[in-house]
Amino acid sequence: MSYVLEATDAQAVATAPLPTTQLSITPLTAHIGAQIDGLDLRFTLTPTQIAGIRAALLKWKVIFFRNQYLSHEQHVAFSRQFGQLTVGHPVFGYVQGHPEVYSVGRNRKANRFDGQRLVRPWTGWHTDVTAAVNPPFASILRGVTIPPYSGDTQWTNLVAAYRGLSPTLRAFVDTLVGEHRFAPPEGAQPKTAFEQDVRKRPLVSHHPLVRVHPESGERALYVSPSFLKNIVGLAPRESEQLLQLLFEHVIRPEYTVRFKWEPGSIAFWDNRSTAHLPPVDIFDTAFDRQLYRTTLVGDIPVGPDGSSSVAIEGEPVLAHRAD
């Protein structure tokens, strides 16, 4: 079932149905994900279309487009209509000649780690660059070379996950702060290239465990399993047990959507209210897989008590300045 969307007040977007404009919106699950049709993203959008896309993003957390065959330049131009762009990745670089574009290739992590990582149900789930004090507010990922099968990406709604906690646990996690950093997966050993990259641009931040969305006012359980390493102020065992409970909770199937990529597919997600899981089954096939990502400069997270995130190491992720 599809509907058409018009821009509405941001505070009402998350709870109210969205009436008419020219965008065709097809929700994919009850809590997260919708496909938008009726646009050609190679061309400049109208203010109404931009407002409609932003409203859909706030409501559905991740939105998808099909049959959008963009160049790097067109990808960047589309992204700029929604905010300032960061450099491709603050630690791991960018596509040569396109400093706003990050390559998400099949073997991009091949030179980072050795050893056998410890795999748990939440392994690989993350929110982009939460080691920074101001993680990107959104990411826009474009599929170019897509295998005929395998390689799906999953997202979860961290607002729905927060609401799914008991009132008593919500009140407790509202008071907590977590430490986020780039580190090898459990059990894996970093290769020299990874260590050099992280040393050149160290990023460690303390974020509230519950983030208040700056546009919708919703509370999100701001846990990023790949980057959130401990809860500040708790004993190690307490921190480990609570994080495992929360990590397991946020990936419950009812909070998630799974997207099958096609060439020309685009996923646009709100990093302030989602985490996502890249595929690992692509390594069980010989198929190539190549996507490209842009990220939009984010604000500093704020918790329910009004306190803001704090940088422990490193600088904020700033907008890329073209020469």
Side-chain angles (χ1 to χ4, degrees):
M1 179 178 178
S2 301
Y3 64 91
V4 287
L5 174 71
E6 79 174 5
T8 60
D9 181 77
Q11 293 289 337
V13 161
T15 56
L18 300 169
T20 63
T21 183
Q22 300 306 308
L23 305 183
S24 174
I25 310 296
T26 304
L28 302 181
T29 75
H31 293 294
I32 182 172
Q35 182 169 315
I36 296 182
D37 296 296
L39 295 175
D40 187 336
L41 303 186
R42 296 174 300 172
F43 301 102
T44 302
L45 301 170
T46 68
T48 299
Q49 290 170 335
I50 292 171
I53 290 172
R54 291 188 70 98
L57 183 67
L58 287 177
K59 182 175 178 66
W60 295 108
K61 317 307 182 193
V62 55
I63 53 179
F64 305 106
F65 304 86
R66 297 286 193 187
N67 301 310
Q68 305 289 338
Y69 300 96
L70 308 185
S71 65
H72 288 331
E73 292 82 3
Q74 290 166 334
H75 185 171
V76 168
F78 168 69
S79 304
R80 276 211 180 100
Q81 296 173 91
F82 297 93
Q84 295 180 303
L85 274 75
T86 72
V87 70
H89 193 288
V91 174
F92 301 118
Y94 51 85
V95 173
Q96 186 173 3
H98 302 277
E100 304 95 340
V101 179
Y102 180 53
S103 172
V104 181
R106 182 178 185 271
N107 294 313
R108 67 192 168 105
K109 295 184 179 180
N111 67 337
R112 295 186 191 174
F113 311 114
D114 282 320
Q116 182 65 43
R117 65 179 182 172
L118 175 62
V119 177
R120 294 175 172 173
W122 52 83
T123 296
W125 283 92
H126 68 281
T127 299
D128 285 333
V129 200
T130 58
V133 71
N134 64 328
F137 97 77
S139 299
I140 303 173
L141 186 62
R142 169 174 55 103
V144 176
T145 304
I146 304 300
Y149 54 86
S150 80
D152 298 356
T153 305
Q154 298 177 66
W155 285 262
T156 190
N157 182 340
L158 298 178
V159 172
Y162 174 79
R163 291 173 179 160
L165 296 174
S166 68
T168 301
L169 187 51
R170 283 202 303 266
F172 181 46
V173 297
D174 279 349
T175 68
L176 300 178
V177 171
E179 181 167 294
H180 297 241
R181 64 171 65 239
F182 282 105
E186 290 180 278
Q189 297 298 317
K191 289 187 176 180
T192 302
F194 175 86
E195 292 179 316
Q196 290 175 342
D197 286 340
V198 171
R199 274 200 301 268
K200 283 189 293 186
R201 186 70 192 273
L203 289 174
V204 181
S205 296
H206 286 177
H207 294 302
L209 218 63
V210 175
R211 178 176 186 173
V212 179
H213 197 288
E215 295 183 70
S216 70
E218 296 173 307
R219 294 186 183 188
L221 191 54
Y222 200 56
V223 298
S224 177
S226 292
F227 299 131
L228 174 54
K229 302 305 179 183
N230 62 275
I231 298 174
V232 177
L234 296 190
R237 184 63 171 164
E238 294 170 341
S239 174
E240 177 188 52
Q241 290 295 294
L242 181 54
L243 285 181
Q244 288 186 4
L245 183 153
L246 295 176
F247 292 162
E248 182 181 83
H249 175 73
V250 300
I251 63 170
R252 282 169 49 174
E254 62 265 37
Y255 303 142
T256 68
V257 64
R258 183 172 184 137
F259 184 65
K260 181 171 180 54
W261 290 94
E262 299 170 353
S265 296
I266 290 177
F268 185 171
W269 65 93
D270 190 336
N271 274 307
R272 301 164 296 187
S273 56
T274 65
H276 62 280
L277 177 66
V280 295
D281 62 341
I282 56 174
F283 302 110
D284 297 326
T285 75
F287 300 125
D288 192 14
R289 184 178 185 271
Q290 178 66 61
L291 302 91
Y292 295 97
R293 190 190 75 189
T294 58
T295 48
L296 301 172
V297 175
D299 56 329
I300 295 175
V302 175
D305 65 353
S307 61
S308 299
S309 299
V310 176
I312 305 304
E313 287 188 76
E315 301 296 326
V317 178
L318 303 178
H320 169 71
R321 297 182 63 179
D323 294 334

